[in-house]
Amino acid sequence: MRLSKAQYDEIALFISTLRPTRQCMKRLKERFPCQSQSTLLSIFSQEYQKMIKRTHAKHHTPEAVEMYYARYLNEVARDPKVPILLELANEVDFSPALMARTVLERFLEDHDGQPPTKPVLSSMLRDPSLIPDPVLANQVHLCIINDCFNGPLVDGIKHAIGHEHEVLLRQKLKEHNLAFLDEDQLRLKGYDKTPDVILEVPVAVDGHVIHWIESKASFGDEASHKTYLHDQFWSYWNRQKEPPYKIYWINHLSHIS
């Protein structure tokens, strides 16, 4: 079932009143019982990411970083068992995982005398036991596991879901006896940018001739669809002179095709 623009706007407006907690999905489902859990979760995640992008700059000014770091040092000196970074992130309406990243980066700059490299910072966020301060390691860990929409834990889940749906796509094509080449096969043939599959014999679906298929395990809203068009779809079209067929496994707006 596709969502109308009015339905989507109503959901997005309600989401703007919620905080990104584990309880928010319960409230969403109660408010929109006819929508699937996966649709509501995907829309919430996308709307939350938009908010993070809009407010990212204000949380990364030198003044903000120093304030967050000073708050952490003062509070941890009082009681290191309190989830200080998690509470601070909720207080300033910031992603817990991004708050952990900000404070960890500032700590490592003090600890090592220079800013950490991106690989070092990322590895510590994926495995907080690598952080040289055990108290901060625990604080970072709490932020990562309590952030429902950002961080290495969420990234891993998204990657797994995306891979699962790519496997499902290939299974469906095989069930219908459709010959195709997947990404790995296309790269071996020298393609630098590849959709998930290219059909060796095009097929017609809903009046459209389908040459390529791109699978997205997410909700197809206007913003993400435009991003995919710019970053991926137009390059496929320019190469083959045919647009790819997009599959949004979660759901999409009725006017997106």
Side-chain angles (χ1 to χ4, degrees):
M1 180 182 70
R2 299 179 181 182
L3 262 69
S4 68
K5 183 66 164 57
Q7 288 174 310
Y8 175 82
D9 288 342
E10 184 182 4
I11 294 172
L13 180 62
F14 185 73
I15 287 172
S16 69
T17 68
L18 301 177
R19 296 184 68 85
T21 65
R22 298 185 186 280
Q23 290 72 40
C24 67
M25 288 310 302
K26 181 180 178 182
R27 291 187 60 191
L28 260 180
K29 190 61 179 173
E30 289 173 348
R31 178 67 177 79
F32 302 100
C34 294
Q35 301 300 331
S36 70
Q37 183 87 356
S38 58
T39 293
L40 295 174
L41 179 59
S42 187
I43 294 175
F44 191 103
S45 178
Q46 290 172 338
E47 291 300 308
Y48 183 65
Q49 294 296 336
K50 292 175 191 175
M51 186 275 287
I52 290 296
K53 289 179 180 178
R54 288 195 302 269
T55 61
H56 183 270
K58 77 174 186 179
H59 293 295
H60 285 82
T61 63
E63 294 79 11
V65 172
E66 291 303 318
M67 186 269 284
Y68 296 154
Y69 188 53
R71 278 280 301 274
Y72 165 72
L73 293 177
N74 290 335
E75 296 293 334
V76 81
R78 290 199 192 98
D79 189 351
K81 296 179 181 179
V82 174
I84 298 156
L85 292 184
L86 182 59
E87 291 180 353
L88 180 57
N90 291 332
E91 178 186 323
V92 299
D93 203 17
F94 192 30
S95 157
L98 294 179
M99 176 63 76
R101 185 184 188 93
T102 299
V103 172
L104 175 59
E105 185 173 13
R106 180 65 182 81
F107 165 82
L108 292 173
E109 187 175 344
D110 262 1
H111 185 269
D112 300 332
Q114 60 183 359
T117 63
K118 187 174 181 179
V120 167
L121 188 59
S122 297
S123 66
M124 289 185 178
L125 290 169
R126 287 194 299 270
D127 182 4
S129 67
L130 298 174
I131 298 172
D133 183 313
V135 174
L136 180 55
N138 183 56
Q139 295 282 335
V140 170
H141 174 70
L142 289 173
C143 285
I144 297 300
I145 64 174
N146 282 283
D147 196 322
C148 302
F149 303 103
N150 272 299
L153 182 60
V154 173
D155 291 343
I157 293 171
K158 287 180 179 179
H159 178 78
I161 293 173
H163 179 70
E164 177 185 352
H165 284 82
E166 289 173 9
V167 171
L168 179 60
L169 170 61
R170 293 194 291 269
Q171 289 176 345
K172 293 293 184 183
L173 292 174
K174 289 176 182 177
E175 287 173 9
H176 289 81
N177 296 314
L178 295 175
F180 64 90
L181 298 173
D182 62 21
E183 285 183 292
D184 293 336
Q185 293 168 315
L186 290 170
R187 289 193 184 99
L188 289 174
K189 288 179 173 288
Y191 289 87
D192 54 345
K193 289 189 175 182
T194 63
D196 290 312
V197 300
I198 178 172
L199 300 178
E200 296 193 279
V201 179
V203 298
V205 176
D206 295 333
H208 300 280
V209 178
I210 307 305
H211 295 254
W212 304 66
I213 301 178
E214 180 68 24
S215 167
K216 296 297 178 187
S218 61
F219 181 85
D221 70 329
E222 287 183 299
S224 60
H225 188 67
K226 287 178 180 177
T227 299
Y228 292 141
L229 283 172
H230 179 270
D231 294 346
Q232 292 180 293
F233 300 156
W234 292 141
S235 66
Y236 308 154
W237 193 334
N238 290 336
R239 175 168 290 174
Q240 294 296 317
K241 306 306 178 185
E242 292 290 345
Y245 186 69
K246 290 82 68 181
I247 296 179
Y248 290 101
W249 290 97
I250 305 300
N251 210 328
H252 60 88
L253 292 175
S254 57
H255 63 283
I256 289 178
S257 60

